Amino acid sequence: MTDIDATSVGATGGFAAALARLGREPLPEEALVAARHCLLDWIGVSLAGRHEPLVDILVDEALDDGAGGALPLIGRPERLPLSQAVLITGAMSHALDYDDVHLAMLGHPGVAVIPAAWGLAIAGGHDGAAFLRAVIAGYDIACRVGRYVGPSHYRRGWHATGTVGTFGAMAASAVLLKLDEARVAQGLGIAGTQAAGLKAVFGTMSKPLHAGRAAMNGLFAARLAARGFTAHPDILGVAQGFTDTQSDGADPEAAFAPAPLGGFHIRSTLFKYHAACYLTHSSIEAVRSLADAAPLDPQSVRRVVVRVDPGHLRVCNIPEPRTGLEIKFSLRMTTALALAGEDTSREALYSDATAARPDLIALRDRVVVEPREASSATLSEVEITLADGAVRRTACDVGVPAPDLDRQWQRLATKFLGLAEPVLGAVGARAVLERVRGLDAGSDLADLARLCAAAPPRAAN
């Protein structure tokens, strides 16, 4: 996308103009391929999270409300109205914290953007090409808003997936609804006044709820704007608006500059190959690389020092996790898992039983987490001292987008099949994978949704 001059139209007008261009300009194949990658990963993590307790609670709440509708849920037999389905699929896809990440927004764009675009595209009969364009637009606006409010927004305690993600979901919905620039600005205003999500709830069911609410509120904002509902047309630039109240200051130069890697932020999306908070991944990979270089006996480990950006200590430094969810936000425990040679990509590993394992607790208690400053916020340095006094150290940074999209697809396909086959069976999972790979103007999203929902009801206990 080309750069935008927001000085004459206000900050929110600048985003509306950017979105208008996204709605009409040709999209490079690289961006479309990246969008298919994001969709495949989203479907996989949604299937895996379909019966997490928080999802069951949300479904029960919707059904108790008397909700009935036509939109199928991912991996479940229930059909719900559009708004409820978007809320639940958003929460479902973030339930395991195994979804995609983007450093420009400092959050998870897919779980906010894709549920809104998916639900609206299916309900409105849009084809695969329209859906992919909406997803690309949603990621781009979420990332641009994230860069506009800057890292101080996240440091203050806001969960950008819930806050910034709301703008991305609105943008994706606006593209499908074909809103003009004036109504897009109103939609961004409606989104901004609803956006919320606090980092204090990390490790609880409310973190995935942020994603679901972002998706639902963004969709709601776009639909209201389409009907003429109003808000402040410069919610991002006005005094007492979103940026003024939730950030230390705006960075329009960063927000409106051309995106790297082909001009679209979606190309820089990062994917998780360990089922825990992304900020734990560099440390896990560092331990793995040391173990690959030479055998590492957990019993010989005397002390481990993990040095990370100071911001990690406010996100994923639960020192003594007691639940599976808390393990995902514990650098000490995820490092212990890696030291023990556990398969950290396996979702079932993150359980209350794992948190209570004596061998892992003993390893965890030998791990010390220290802050350090470096050029990359995602870099982790790991230093292991062994019983014989030998010291092994290395560093890893998982914050670099994959240069090879074919290789990325292969890794994501492996991850997807591991998550989807237990739910859909080998044949069903392969069918979904191939439909996503070939998603284009002739693709029927409703048919793809039926394939993703083709799971029998959960067996009674």
Side-chain angles (χ1 to χ4, degrees):
M1 182 194 292
T2 55
D3 59 326
I4 299 288
D5 178 10
T7 56
S8 61
V9 293
T12 309
F15 286 104
L19 186 58
R21 292 189 184 187
L22 265 173
R24 61 176 181 263
E25 67 184 11
L27 297 173
E29 183 60 24
E30 191 173 26
L32 293 167
V33 168
R36 295 185 189 100
H37 289 193
C38 293
L39 173 61
L40 183 72
D41 195 60
W42 177 78
I43 293 173
V45 298
S46 298
L47 286 169
R50 73 200 185 284
H51 278 308
E52 284 295 296
L54 70 97
V55 179
D56 290 338
I57 291 170
L58 290 173
V59 170
D60 288 346
E61 175 66 16
L63 295 177
D64 281 352
D65 253 358
L71 206 68
L73 292 178
I74 300 284
R76 295 185 62 119
E78 297 92 355
R79 290 174 174 264
L80 294 172
L82 175 58
S83 293
Q84 288 290 341
V86 167
L87 167 70
I88 291 169
T89 54
M92 180 192 300
S93 56
H94 197 46
L96 303 181
D97 221 289
Y98 207 3
D99 44 291
D100 66 25
V101 176
H102 208 298
L103 299 183
M105 71 169 282
L106 294 178
H108 305 266
V111 293
V113 170
I114 297 179
W118 174 264
L120 187 56
I122 293 168
H126 297 279
D127 65 14
F131 167 77
L132 291 175
R133 179 177 290 276
V135 169
I136 292 168
Y139 274 64
D140 227 68
I141 294 302
C143 290
R144 288 176 180 274
V145 172
R147 296 183 74 178
Y148 186 79
V149 299
S152 65
H153 175 69
Y154 193 75
R155 285 197 302 267
R156 284 184 174 206
W158 296 106
H159 182 203
T161 302
T163 55
V164 174
T166 307
F167 292 97
M170 199 296 302
S173 303
V175 167
L176 289 169
L177 293 172
K178 300 185 184 304
L179 301 188
D180 60 27
E181 287 187 32
R183 296 208 173 188
V184 166
Q186 295 293 341
L188 291 170
I190 301 166
T193 201
Q194 298 180 90
L198 300 173
K199 285 160 59 181
V201 302
F202 282 13
T204 76
M205 294 180 181
S206 288
K207 183 175 188 280
L209 181 63
H210 294 168
R213 295 294 299 187
M216 184 177 77
N217 288 342
L219 169 64
F220 185 51
R223 295 177 78 189
L224 288 182
R227 296 177 184 275
F229 206 90
T230 63
H232 197 289
D234 191 16
I235 200 71
L236 288 158
V238 69
Q240 299 187 89
F242 185 83
T243 310
D244 186 45
T245 59
Q246 299 190 24
S247 169
D248 292 350
D251 189 349
E253 183 176 351
F256 295 108
L261 295 179
F264 291 88
H265 281 288
I266 197 167
R267 175 61 182 86
S268 298
T269 303
L270 304 170
F271 297 94
K272 289 186 174 185
Y273 303 104
H274 308 284
C277 174
Y278 198 73
L279 295 182
T280 68
H281 287 209
S282 289
S283 302
I284 293 171
E285 293 285 348
V287 172
R288 290 275 179 83
S289 69
L290 288 174
D292 289 343
L296 185 62
D297 179 6
Q299 300 302 317
S300 70
V301 173
R302 177 188 298 168
R303 187 171 187 263
V304 182
V305 179
V306 177
R307 298 184 178 93
V308 294
D309 183 87
H312 291 35
L313 277 59
R314 297 168 60 87
V315 178
C316 55
N317 195 34
I318 296 175
E320 298 178 358
R322 296 167 296 174
T323 68
L325 269 176
E326 288 185 347
I327 291 174
K328 293 171 180 282
F329 297 92
S330 174
L331 276 163
R332 297 179 76 207
M333 185 59 102
T334 52
T335 299
L337 293 174
L339 287 166
E342 297 285 352
D343 181 2
T344 49
S345 70
R346 188 170 62 91
E347 172 54 36
L349 177 65
Y350 301 85
S351 67
D352 297 358
T354 297
R357 272 176 49 182
D359 61 322
L360 292 174
I361 291 173
L363 274 175
R364 179 202 74 194
D365 289 347
R366 297 174 208 157
V367 178
V368 177
V369 179
E370 296 180 352
R372 65 96 188 93
E373 300 290 346
S375 57
S376 170
T378 49
L379 178 73
S380 178
E381 300 169 352
V382 172
E383 179 179 285
I384 301 175
T385 302
L386 302 176
D388 62 5
V391 177
R392 298 166 63 178
R393 58 174 64 88
T394 193
C396 183
D397 188 352
V398 298
V400 180
D404 184 340
L405 284 175
D406 289 337
R407 171 61 180 149
Q408 180 169 273
W409 175 264
Q410 293 169 8
R411 293 191 74 186
L412 289 172
T414 299
K415 174 184 173 182
F416 172 78
L417 292 173
L419 297 172
E421 285 183 353
V423 185
L424 304 178
V427 173
R430 286 280 177 185
V432 171
L433 187 149
E434 293 305 321
R435 291 291 181 92
V436 173
R437 189 203 303 264
L439 200 67
D440 58 18
S443 301
D444 183 346
L445 279 179
D447 186 51
L448 176 58
R450 284 190 289 272
L451 287 176
C452 294
R458 184 175 48 167
N461 292 329

